[in-house]
Amino acid sequence: MQAPPPEHCPGVESEQAGQVSACAGCPNQSICSDPNKKLEDPGKALVTAALKDVKHKLLILSGKGGVGKSTVTTLLTRYLARSCPDSNFGVLDIDICGPSQPRLMGALGENVHQSGSGWSPVGIDDNVCLMSIGFLLGSVDDAIIWRGPKKNGMIRQFLSEVDWGNLDLLLLDTPPGTSDEHLSVVSYLKDDNAPDSVRAIIVTTPQEVALLDVRKEINFCKKQRIPIVGVIENMSSFRCGHCGHSSEIFPAKTGGAAAMCAEMEVPLLGSLPLDPAIAKACDAGEDITSIKNATTEALEGICSKIMSNFS
Amino acid sequence: MQAPPPEHCPGVESEQAGQVSACAGCPNQSICSDPNKKLEDPGKALVTAALKDVKHKLLILSGKGGVGKSTVTTLLTRYLARSCPDSNFGVLDIDICGPSQPRLMGALGENVHQSGSGWSPVGIDDNVCLMSIGFLLGSVDDAIIWRGPKKNGMIRQFLSEVDWGNLDLLLLDTPPGTSDEHLSVVSYLKDDNAPDSVRAIIVTTPQEVALLDVRKEINFCKKQRIPIVGVIENMSSFRCGHCGHSSEIFPAKTGGAAAMCAEMEVPLLGSLPLDPAIAKACDAGEDITSIKNATTEALEGICSKIMSNFS
């Protein structure tokens, strides 16, 4: 394993590369500070090498927080892993300030082991493994109060120093927004010679205020030339457990995700209902994909559309 | 108005201050690069001067996205403005990548005017004004793809170059997490000689997976020594419009916000139900605080507790 970049590394692609006090003593300083060399982040080559046996990468994105990116990531992973027992799936949680995957996957309190080939991700199932900063915290309540560059360093380590092994699909659960984490992960994973090297799924709720942020995220993907597999509408309706009546919790004033997808020319993969049973199972880290209900039926349709993109 | 910092300003409190290529030509370079001066960001003095007639500042925080920070900010502002017609209220939306306040406040498409004393915030009501990056975008779908330092520069401008005038309370709607935006706003607003110079309200939903992130946010406030006014539990229950039965949409496996507040020793201000009428009104930017229902009743209790902190 190569020496880590200095703690305050300005990033080799930045204007300050090689020129700031933190660069003193870094073995790459002379390369970084040469203005005639337009450099790629050396981390990118390390990431490419580390992920050479990962067939497909899928970002789970949403401009809006709390729409269910993490829950959808967990549900997709578990459903796909159950339907394709001969394929291997990995989940990387790059929500550095609010990692939810350890709880959703029922792996809270697990430890990550270090071996000669890097950190070993935590095994969730025979064909599912997970890496999250949640595994590296002393206490689950610890706040990660980091500005961008430190978060980027962590993401780079997760991509280049985790022993992912052979994976058919690596799902990346992201924080809300279009900022440091998103730019970092895209710059590390994107291969200009292979336009499908990384793709994205966008999660939204039907509300206009969520769709507003989601449109921004779709434009982010378009600007970064990340192909969008499609949009998943989450919490589309709520079925009263008492009378069975279906209510719109987050009313779709403007036609919801379907109208937005038509307008922005991206496919709609499907809608997941708001199901308290799912919220409860997720809090407890339980797998509910073996049960037959409205959610898993919707999930089946969504997963088959996703898989048709990766054949 | 003073010249803006250079675009790639590393921040005067950083180790690279005055030493990077972006500093060339900046009038502050000689001060910044002097290692014997432990400098405060000169922006801080500007912020203090610009906000000298703002009596109280209140951060609306949550580690988790989508719990309703923006909706709660809007509801609190409107309710307080209605109950205290002689007081003036301001709202600053520092969610740079996902600004929701223009829509929630019904001010989408409004423009910010520049005058001799700075940007004029948009008037929402006689005693409510709002500033958001949403007003500065060419199109509402534009994605702000900025790393930390650019976001910080924007927040500094919002605090130092907006003509807030006389305000009794400035509410700051924040993005999820504990990262750049939060560190910036705290460093600009905190006055070590006045511990109550800025206070925080934490918003959560009852789910364990939300509380997990909210605990981090409470620890962030404790580390940064920001007094916490209290916690608001949002989306605590859903009343079926058909049969009237109340359901827990996001089940509280571990006692919800009440248990967490007791454990973390912070006050619980109250719980707001999940009300599709609110979601609909918010999407449309309408004010619903004049209507009498379960939500506005809960809001009344919460607001009176908040006001008792600011007397």
Side-chain angles (χ1 to χ4, degrees):
Chain A
M1 206 172 299
Q2 135 165 358
E7 193 184 5
H8 296 284
C9 172
V12 296
E13 284 167 322
S14 82
E15 278 186 32
Q16 297 97 335
Q19 297 173 35
V20 304
S21 58
C23 301
C26 173
N28 292 323
Q29 188 181 17
S30 61
I31 309 172
C32 282
S33 56
D34 185 340
N36 297 318
K37 285 193 186 157
K38 175 69 194 114
L39 266 191
E40 257 207 346
D41 187 335
K44 186 155 176 173
L46 295 177
V47 169
T48 309
L51 299 182
K52 68 177 181 344
D53 296 324
V54 175
K55 272 193 211 150
H56 302 289
K57 292 140 215 154
L58 186 58
L59 297 174
I60 316 295
L61 297 172
S62 173
K64 184 89 179 65
V67 297
K69 277 179 299 303
S70 300
T71 306
V72 165
T73 306
T74 305
L75 290 175
L76 289 180
T77 307
R78 288 201 140 140
Y79 195 92
L80 290 170
R82 184 180 298 276
S83 345
C84 315
D86 297 330
S87 298
N88 289 312
F89 298 87
V91 176
L92 173 58
D93 187 359
I94 63 163
D95 191 346
I96 305 293
C97 294
S100 307
Q101 287 299 334
R103 174 170 294 272
L104 295 174
M105 290 279 195
L108 214 61
E110 294 275 349
N111 282 311
V112 162
H113 298 281
Q114 177 100 41
S115 74
S117 44
W119 281 330
S120 301
V122 170
I124 301 296
D125 230 327
D126 285 349
N127 57 345
V128 180
C129 62
L130 167 65
M131 186 69 205
S132 166
I133 198 169
F135 296 135
L136 307 176
L137 300 177
S139 145
V140 288
D141 297 348
D142 278 2
I144 303 278
I145 310 172
W146 287 356
R147 288 190 182 265
K150 276 195 90 170
K151 293 194 283 190
N152 300 342
M154 190 80 243
I155 290 171
R156 173 188 148 150
Q157 270 192 290
F158 279 154
L159 291 170
S160 63
E161 299 180 10
V162 171
D163 180 20
W164 289 106
N166 276 298
L167 291 182
D168 293 274
L169 181 61
L170 176 64
L171 296 100
L172 295 106
D173 184 16
T174 66
T178 50
S179 189
D180 289 285
E181 293 90 335
H182 310 82
L183 288 168
S184 296
V185 78
V186 165
S187 75
Y188 283 131
L189 293 182
K190 218 173 66 160
D191 176 354
D192 289 327
N193 302 317
D196 282 347
S197 54
V198 54
R199 282 178 270 198
I201 280 183
I202 315 258
V203 183
T204 185
T205 60
Q207 277 168 293
E208 186 50 34
V209 74
L211 293 173
L212 192 72
D213 289 352
V214 166
R215 285 193 186 90
K216 290 184 203 295
E217 199 78 32
I218 292 175
N219 281 331
F220 169 82
C221 290
K222 288 182 176 170
K223 276 191 194 168
Q224 302 280 333
R225 280 173 288 127
I226 307 288
I228 297 173
V229 173
V231 171
I232 297 175
E233 187 181 58
N234 193 24
M235 311 189 198
S236 58
S237 63
F238 175 71
R239 200 175 153 277
C240 177
H242 190 245
C243 71
H245 183 77
S246 249
S247 307
E248 285 191 327
I249 303 268
F250 299 112
K253 198 182 65 122
T254 52
M260 185 207 63
C261 285
E263 175 202 326
M264 306 281 291
E265 297 176 348
V266 291
L268 178 65
L269 295 173
S271 297
L272 292 170
L274 209 171
D275 183 345
I278 300 278
K280 208 174 260 175
C282 284
D283 265 0
E286 283 159 12
D287 181 5
I288 53 94
T289 57
S290 60
I291 304 161
K292 269 270 171 219
N293 62 21
T295 305
T296 52
E297 259 170 48
L299 204 54
E300 189 182 342
I302 292 169
C303 285
S304 72
K305 282 187 197 163
I306 294 174
M307 288 318 282
S308 70
N309 276 271
F310 291 113
S311 53
Chain B
M1 204 172 299
Q2 130 164 4
E7 193 185 6
H8 296 285
C9 172
V12 296
E13 283 168 322
S14 82
E15 279 187 30
Q16 296 98 336
Q19 298 174 34
V20 305
S21 56
C23 300
C26 174
N28 292 323
Q29 188 180 17
S30 62
I31 308 172
C32 281
S33 57
D34 184 341
N36 297 319
K37 284 194 188 157
K38 175 68 193 115
L39 267 191
E40 257 206 345
D41 188 335
K44 186 155 177 174
L46 295 176
V47 169
T48 308
L51 298 181
K52 69 177 180 343
D53 296 324
V54 175
K55 271 194 213 148
H56 301 288
K57 293 139 213 152
L58 186 59
L59 297 173
I60 316 295
L61 298 172
S62 172
K64 183 88 178 66
V67 297
K69 276 178 301 301
S70 299
T71 306
V72 166
T73 305
T74 305
L75 290 175
L76 289 180
T77 307
R78 290 201 138 140
Y79 196 91
L80 291 170
R82 183 179 299 277
S83 345
C84 314
D86 298 330
S87 299
N88 289 311
F89 297 88
V91 176
L92 173 59
D93 187 0
I94 62 164
D95 191 346
I96 305 292
C97 294
S100 306
Q101 287 299 336
R103 174 169 294 273
L104 294 174
M105 290 279 195
L108 214 61
E110 294 275 349
N111 282 312
V112 163
H113 298 282
Q114 178 100 41
S115 74
S117 44
W119 281 329
S120 301
V122 170
I124 301 296
D125 231 327
D126 285 349
N127 57 346
V128 180
C129 63
L130 166 66
M131 186 69 205
S132 166
I133 197 169
F135 296 135
L136 308 176
L137 300 178
S139 147
V140 287
D141 296 349
D142 278 2
I144 304 275
I145 310 173
W146 286 357
R147 288 189 182 267
K150 277 196 92 169
K151 293 194 284 190
N152 300 342
M154 191 78 243
I155 290 171
R156 174 189 146 148
Q157 271 191 287
F158 279 153
L159 291 172
S160 62
E161 299 181 11
V162 171
D163 180 18
W164 290 107
N166 275 300
L167 291 183
D168 293 274
L169 180 62
L170 176 64
L171 296 100
L172 295 105
D173 184 16
T174 66
T178 49
S179 190
D180 288 285
E181 292 91 335
H182 309 81
L183 288 167
S184 296
V185 78
V186 165
S187 75
Y188 283 131
L189 293 182
K190 218 174 66 162
D191 176 356
D192 289 328
N193 303 318
D196 282 347
S197 54
V198 54
R199 283 177 269 200
I201 280 184
I202 315 257
V203 183
T204 185
T205 59
Q207 279 167 292
E208 185 50 35
V209 74
L211 293 173
L212 192 71
D213 290 352
V214 166
R215 286 194 187 91
K216 290 183 204 297
E217 201 77 31
I218 292 176
N219 282 329
F220 169 81
C221 290
K222 289 184 177 170
K223 274 190 195 171
Q224 302 280 332
R225 282 173 288 126
I226 307 289
I228 298 172
V229 174
V231 172
I232 297 176
E233 187 182 59
N234 193 22
M235 311 189 198
S236 58
S237 62
F238 175 72
R239 197 173 156 276
C240 178
H242 191 247
C243 71
H245 183 78
S246 250
S247 307
E248 286 190 327
I249 302 268
F250 298 112
K253 198 181 65 122
T254 51
M260 185 208 63
C261 284
E263 176 202 325
M264 306 281 292
E265 297 175 349
V266 290
L268 178 64
L269 295 173
S271 297
L272 291 169
L274 210 172
D275 182 346
I278 300 277
K280 209 174 259 174
C282 284
D283 265 1
E286 285 159 10
D287 181 5
I288 53 93
T289 57
S290 61
I291 304 161
K292 269 270 170 221
N293 63 20
T295 304
T296 51
E297 260 170 50
L299 205 53
E300 190 183 341
I302 291 169
C303 284
S304 71
K305 282 188 197 164
I306 293 174
M307 287 319 281
S308 69
N309 276 270
F310 291 112
S311 53

